[in-house]
Amino acid sequence: MIRHVLPPIPSDWASLLTEMTESESYRMLLAFLSGELEADEIILPPRNDIFTAFELTSYESVKVVLLGQDPYHTPGMAHGLCFSVPPEIRSLPPSLRNIYRELRNDLGCPIPNNGCLIPWAEQGVLLLNTALTVRAHSPNSHKKCGWHLFTDRVIELLNSKPSRVVFVLWGGEAQKKRTLITNPLHVVIAAAHPSPLSAGKFFGSRCFSRVNQSLTEAGLPPVDWQIPDV
């Protein structure tokens, strides 16, 4: 049962992460998640969505990393992409509403009628949480179960890329990963978290235009940040 707690890692990520997935820390992570299920806890996002970020954004295509903390803990909200919600969800989480507000102020993008960020992922924006699962109704409940080692390895792999990657670190938890980003080719853009608790410092950070400037300086196409209505 333990081996099947998580779905297969998709795309070109699987071979890159072989050493991690064969490690003792990964086995302990699987055992932890298996124990949660045996205790009848609900794990979010649903099993098949846990690695969606890697499915939609291959290693080769990554040019931006947007780092979140852990998935939404309300059933129906998390679908494997940080800050994103499924397109049918129309009551958006406060952090995402603040992201859209800053995006409008920064680049003039109209606020869409949905919170599905798949169009970003399809352009090479890896929407990565530092923990890829959470117990329903219990934020940060999987923060210390081993996901941090997995996502640290993902960041180390991206740090080794020979083309520019722009790392967007919102809030203190994300900024702890800054020490893993040592390649001078890459760019780190840090700002306050878009949560209502710190949004006053987040607004005006102009992260989206700064990302695009960093990409174009390296000869890479900018991100079209506008999310279409559905």
Side-chain angles (χ1 to χ4, degrees):
M1 176 183 177
I2 288 180
R3 287 180 300 170
H4 301 293
V5 171
L6 295 174
I9 296 174
S11 185
D12 53 351
W13 291 99
S15 58
L16 294 169
L17 289 164
T18 298
E19 183 178 349
M20 167 54 63
T21 55
E22 292 179 353
S23 68
E24 180 62 23
S25 66
Y26 197 75
R27 285 190 286 272
M28 292 176 65
L29 168 63
L30 294 176
F32 172 86
L33 296 174
S34 180
E36 291 279 86
L37 293 175
E38 290 173 1
D40 293 325
E41 299 288 356
I42 297 172
I43 293 176
L44 301 174
R47 178 182 181 274
N48 288 339
D49 289 339
I50 291 172
F51 291 132
T52 295
F54 302 97
E55 180 180 340
L56 294 177
T57 313
S58 70
Y59 176 81
E60 289 302 321
S61 72
V62 175
K63 59 185 182 183
V64 179
V65 178
L66 181 54
L67 196 60
Q69 189 164 315
D70 67 342
Y72 296 121
H73 57 89
T74 301
M77 301 283 275
H79 67 145
L81 303 172
C82 73
F83 297 108
S84 180
V85 294
E88 64 271 16
I89 302 294
R90 296 304 169 93
S91 180
L92 302 185
S95 291
L96 184 53
R97 291 201 301 269
N98 289 335
I99 290 169
Y100 281 165
R101 176 179 164 184
E102 176 61 20
L103 182 56
R104 180 188 61 192
N105 293 340
D106 186 6
L107 292 175
C109 294
I111 294 177
N113 67 357
N114 70 96
C116 181
L117 304 182
I118 286 177
W120 294 357
E122 292 176 336
Q123 295 179 74
V125 180
L126 183 66
L127 297 168
L128 181 67
N129 279 311
T130 54
L132 300 189
T133 59
V134 69
R135 188 185 309 138
H137 308 296
S138 184
N140 289 318
S141 49
H142 291 182
K143 179 180 178 181
K144 297 181 179 179
C145 72
W147 276 124
H148 64 290
L149 299 174
F150 180 91
T151 51
D152 279 359
R153 181 57 185 151
V154 170
I155 294 171
E156 288 170 352
L157 288 167
L158 292 168
N159 181 62
S160 70
K161 283 194 71 168
S163 58
R164 172 163 290 178
V165 177
V166 183
F167 293 85
V168 182
L169 309 181
W170 287 338
E173 282 300 314
Q175 289 167 27
K176 290 177 182 177
K177 304 293 189 181
R178 191 167 194 157
T179 57
L180 301 173
I181 307 162
T182 58
N183 188 335
L185 182 65
H186 304 321
V187 173
V188 174
I189 295 176
H193 195 278
S195 158
L197 297 175
S198 53
K201 295 180 180 179
F202 172 73
F203 294 134
S205 60
R206 301 185 66 84
C207 290
F208 304 100
S209 59
R210 290 163 64 194
V211 167
N212 281 353
Q213 180 180 352
S214 297
L215 292 173
T216 55
E217 285 174 350
L220 297 169
V223 176
D224 178 1
W225 295 103
Q226 179 62 55
I227 297 294
D229 286 340
V230 295

